[in-house]
Amino acid sequence: VSDKGDGTYVGTFVAPAAGRYWLKVYYGNVLLQGMPVSVLSRTSFDTCPNGCSDRGECKDNVCSCYSGYMGADCSIETANCADNCMGNGACMNNTCYCYPGFSGPSCEESTTVCPNDCSKHGACHNAACICDSGYTGVDCSDNLATCVDGCMGNGECVDGSCLCYPGYKGVNCAEKTKFCPKACSGKGTCTRGGMCSCFSGWTGLDCAI
């Protein structure tokens, strides 16, 4: 080691192999101030951002980060995020930054938009509403408790009234009925199965064609 006379020193260190070393430098028998220093020995002269922040290896000018770190320069800690962000976000400096569509401390909650925000009567999960007890419908807007007999399971409760499925009628959709569109338009007969049997020369679900 040579003293440049301005408080700096110049010298050569030959490492036996690539890796990190703690180097102590003596001037005579005196250990120089600031020793030991960390020295990273590489087998190539690739250039990586911030020297990979001493948290990775520089290979072909790209940082290969040690476990627990990420980023172009390996400066972002990833080791201590709850549930590893459930795979729904990125762990940076021990905090989950959720991808679009997710929220929560560990990105465990889906925030994908559901119809009508589930009418505040359900939870949105993977863009589908899981309705609270007593509610139904794609947006959880149908409250079975407000419809007579809950529509008997033969219809949808909409704004307090039963909207019966085809083949049922009545206030509570309890009464079975033949389902023939437009009564077969007067150009056919309604079969027991609820389908139109059209007269000769007519066709279509309602025999209107």
Side-chain angles (χ1 to χ4, degrees):
V1 176
S2 300
D3 186 350
K4 296 181 65 178
D6 58 359
T8 61
Y9 302 84
V10 176
T12 302
F13 167 71
V14 179
R20 182 168 300 284
Y21 298 86
W22 290 96
L23 187 64
K24 291 183 178 180
V25 179
Y26 291 85
Y27 191 75
N29 294 323
V30 179
L31 181 67
L32 296 182
Q33 186 176 1
M35 296 295 113
V37 294
S38 174
V39 176
L40 178 64
S41 175
R42 299 199 304 250
T43 57
S44 70
F45 291 94
D46 294 337
T47 301
C48 284
N50 295 329
C52 300
S53 306
D54 294 334
R55 295 170 173 177
E57 296 290 338
C58 186
K59 299 177 182 178
D60 298 324
N61 301 316
V62 176
C63 287
S64 177
C65 302
Y66 299 141
S67 177
Y69 299 95
M70 64 176 291
D73 61 354
C74 302
S75 62
I76 301 171
E77 294 184 27
T78 65
N80 298 310
C81 281
D83 299 315
N84 198 27
C85 304
M86 303 295 290
N88 299 325
C91 181
M92 294 184 287
N93 298 323
N94 302 325
T95 301
C96 286
Y97 290 84
C98 302
Y99 299 141
F102 297 93
S103 66
S106 58
C107 302
E108 73 280 8
E109 299 174 10
S110 173
T111 60
T112 304
V113 176
C114 277
N116 203 27
D117 196 24
C118 300
S119 305
K120 307 300 181 184
H121 297 307
C124 185
H125 181 70
N126 293 332
C129 288
I130 300 176
C131 300
D132 297 336
S133 178
Y135 291 87
T136 186
V138 293
D139 62 353
C140 301
S141 62
D142 301 337
N143 185 353
L144 296 177
T146 65
C147 283
V148 179
D149 299 323
C151 303
M152 301 295 291
N154 299 324
E156 294 286 343
C157 183
V158 180
D159 296 328
S161 298
C162 289
L163 182 63
C164 301
Y165 299 141
Y168 295 91
K169 67 178 182 178
V171 176
N172 62 351
C173 301
E175 185 179 350
K176 288 187 177 182
T177 182
K178 291 181 179 180
F179 175 65
C180 287
K182 298 181 182 179
C184 303
S185 305
K187 298 167 183 175
T189 58
C190 188
T191 67
R192 179 176 294 182
M195 299 295 292
C196 288
S197 177
C198 302
F199 299 147
S200 179
W202 298 95
T203 187
L205 289 176
D206 57 0
C207 300
I209 301 174

